[in-house]
């Protein structure tokens, strides 16, 4: 391996460590409480080293969000070939829960941590918005639109966005409880996947014609 390749690999490794540490801190402490200095301390680097990779905290959050939403979109694409849109909807809910279970800090940052408005706007205005191949929400809406067009849903359910947001809210609610309260011994928490399966199955039956 040449010197240039080695330096590039080392640079990418530092960048990955910065992102991993930042994700954990943002998820744990919230956006406002985390500074570039705190992130630097977490990986035992100087703040100057962090600024060599990201010009400011907002740029770092944008990078995290884009990377994590890409990961979620890839998880959805694995089930895109399912021909039955209702089955695809159920599998999407389970894939969403699997992603949250495997990457709880990613999930906290993406869906449970407030971000500044300009970061959110930039993420939403990225080219992937509205493209089912890169936008998990667009994938969900497209799946439900197909089910509506095929006459598979109750006739009064004509708004794909309404159905998509209701489906998302149900699964997100279960996941959020587990992420925020899953270690609370006051409740006999059932396995996340088992609860999400019940919610997804019940929702699917409820909207079906």
């Amino acid at each position: 391996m040449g010197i240039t390749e080695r330096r590039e690999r080392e640079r990418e490794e530092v960048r990955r460590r910065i992102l991993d540490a930042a994700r954990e801190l943002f998820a744990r402490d919230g956006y406002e409480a985390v500074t570039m200095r705190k992130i630097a301390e977490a990986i035992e680097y100087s703040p100057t080293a962090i600024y060599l990779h990201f010009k400011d905290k907002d740029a770092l959050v944008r990078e995290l969000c884009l990377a994590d939403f890409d990961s979620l979109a890839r998880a959805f694409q694995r089930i895109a070939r399912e021909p039955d849109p209702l089955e695809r909807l159920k599998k999407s809910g389970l894939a969403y829960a699997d992603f949250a279970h495997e990457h709880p800090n990613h999930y906290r940052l993406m869906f449970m941590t407030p971000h500044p408005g300009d970061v959110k706007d930039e993420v939403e205005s990225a080219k992937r918005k509205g493209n089912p191949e890169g936008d998990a929400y667009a994938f969900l809406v497209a799946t439900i639109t197909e089910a509506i067009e095929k006459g598979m849903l109750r006739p009064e359910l004509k708004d794909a966005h309404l159905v998509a947001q209701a489906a998302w809210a149900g699964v997100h609610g279960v996941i959020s409880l587990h992420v925020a309260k899953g270690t609370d011994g006051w409740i006999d928490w059932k396995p996340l996947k088992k609860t999400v399966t019940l919610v997804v199955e019940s929702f699917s039956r409820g909207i079906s014609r």
Side-chain angles (χ1 to χ4, degrees), residues 117-135:
D118 60 335
V119 171
K120 181 180 178 183
D121 290 344
E122 183 158 337
V123 172
E124 291 183 346
S125 64
K127 290 181 180 179
R128 61 181 53 80
K129 183 180 179 183
N131 178 1
E133 292 186 1
D135 180 343

Side-chain angles (χ1 to χ4, degrees), residues 24-81:
E24 184 174 350
L25 288 170
F26 284 132
R28 188 189 69 197
D29 300 336
Y31 177 84
E32 295 297 336
V34 177
T35 63
M36 296 293 267
R37 181 174 294 278
K38 276 190 176 182
I39 297 168
E41 290 173 353
I43 60 172
E44 299 181 340
Y45 273 72
S46 70
T48 302
I50 304 293
Y51 285 110
L52 290 174
H53 294 267
F54 301 97
K55 68 175 184 178
D56 54 29
K57 187 168 70 170
D58 287 357
L60 202 160
V61 173
R62 282 194 293 272
E63 180 80 13
L64 280 171
C65 287
L66 291 173
D68 291 347
F69 277 108
D70 276 346
S71 295
L72 180 59
R74 285 195 297 272
F76 273 31
Q77 288 310 308
R78 288 194 289 270
I79 58 174
R81 294 195 180 99

Side-chain angles (χ1 to χ4, degrees), residues 7 17 20 23 30 42 57 60 79-80 86 88 98 107 123 151 171 177-178 181-182 186-187 189 193 197 202 207:
R7 285 178 177 171
R17 291 186 63 198
D20 287 347
R23 182 186 290 110
K57 187 168 70 170
L60 202 160
I79 58 174
L86 285 181
R88 198 183 315 139
D98 285 343
Y107 192 87
V123 172
V171 176
L177 281 173
H178 274 260
K181 292 290 188 178
W186 187 263
I187 296 174
W189 292 100
K193 191 162 187 175
T197 299
S202 299
I207 65 174

Side-chain angles (χ1 to χ4, degrees), residues 146-158:
E146 182 181 344
I148 292 172
E149 291 174 347
K150 289 183 174 179
M152 301 175 74
L153 303 192
R154 290 178 3 219
E156 69 272 22
L157 297 177
K158 302 181 184 300

